Structures are given as structure tokens and as C-alpha cells.
Amino acid sequence: MTYGTATLIACGALVFGGPIGLGLFANLIRRRDFGRRSLRRFVAGGIVVSGAIFFLGGPASNWLVPPPYDPILASGRGLDLRGSLFWLAAWAGAALTFAIALAYGVDLSRLRRSRQAT
């Protein structure tokens, strides 16, 4: 596997891993009415997960998939931006996870209110 392929896989996991996992968990909560505390924990957990992706996703990906050694870039004669894609993917994944946590939180609270009204 080349560095470019590993980069694309890691960036895809950073961008889509958190939102997909959060969406699956929200659908589990939607099927079973766990109550108000679970809704608050879901939104708080989504915010914490998005913060973890934001702060730890880029460095962890750089550590797991280090760029190959290039003598020109190592000598300081060029700008090495190969690890910056991990940071951008982590930030995009964190923003998407945060937005999905809030959107599902609003949706689940409306669903809960409609079940209480009937």
C-alpha cells in the first residue's frame, strides 16, 4: 500500500467515521425510547467525540501513517505539506460530527415530545 492510498483511507476514516458511528447510535436511541437523560448524554457525547476528533485526529493519523523519507524535503529545501491533509480531514470530521450530534439531538427531542403528547 502506498502512502497516498493510506492517506486517503485515513482521511476518509477521519471525515466519515465519527458521523457514521454517531448516526448509528442515534438510530438505536430512536428505536428505543431511553428517556431524557440518554438524549442529553447523546448530545454531550457527540460534542466530546467531535472535540476528540478535532484535537487528536490529526496527530494520531500523522503518527500512524508517517510520510516516507524524502531527502529534498528533509534537507529543508521544500515545503512538506503531506501531513496537513490529516489535519484538514480531522477538522472536517469534527465539524460534521458536531453538526450531526446537534441535528440528531433536536430531532430526537422532537420525537420524544411527540411521543409524550400522544
Side-chain angles (χ1 to χ4, degrees), residues 23-110:
L24 292 173
F25 190 65
N27 286 329
L28 175 71
I29 290 176
R30 178 180 283 165
R31 287 188 183 158
R32 304 172 191 217
D33 190 19
F34 288 120
R36 184 177 296 179
R37 293 180 78 194
S38 66
L39 179 62
R40 289 180 186 154
R41 288 180 181 170
F42 171 77
V43 173
I47 292 171
V48 168
V49 166
S50 70
I53 293 171
F54 185 83
F55 289 113
L56 302 175
S61 296
N62 274 331
W63 180 71
L64 288 173
V65 187
Y69 179 76
D70 188 358
I72 294 173
L73 296 174
S75 66
R77 292 187 303 230
L79 183 60
D80 190 8
L81 295 176
R82 290 181 285 189
S84 61
L85 189 60
F86 292 131
W87 289 87
L88 294 174
W91 294 343
L96 193 58
T97 303
F98 183 79
I100 285 181
L102 293 182
Y104 268 117
V106 168
D107 184 45
L108 291 173
S109 67
R110 287 183 183 170

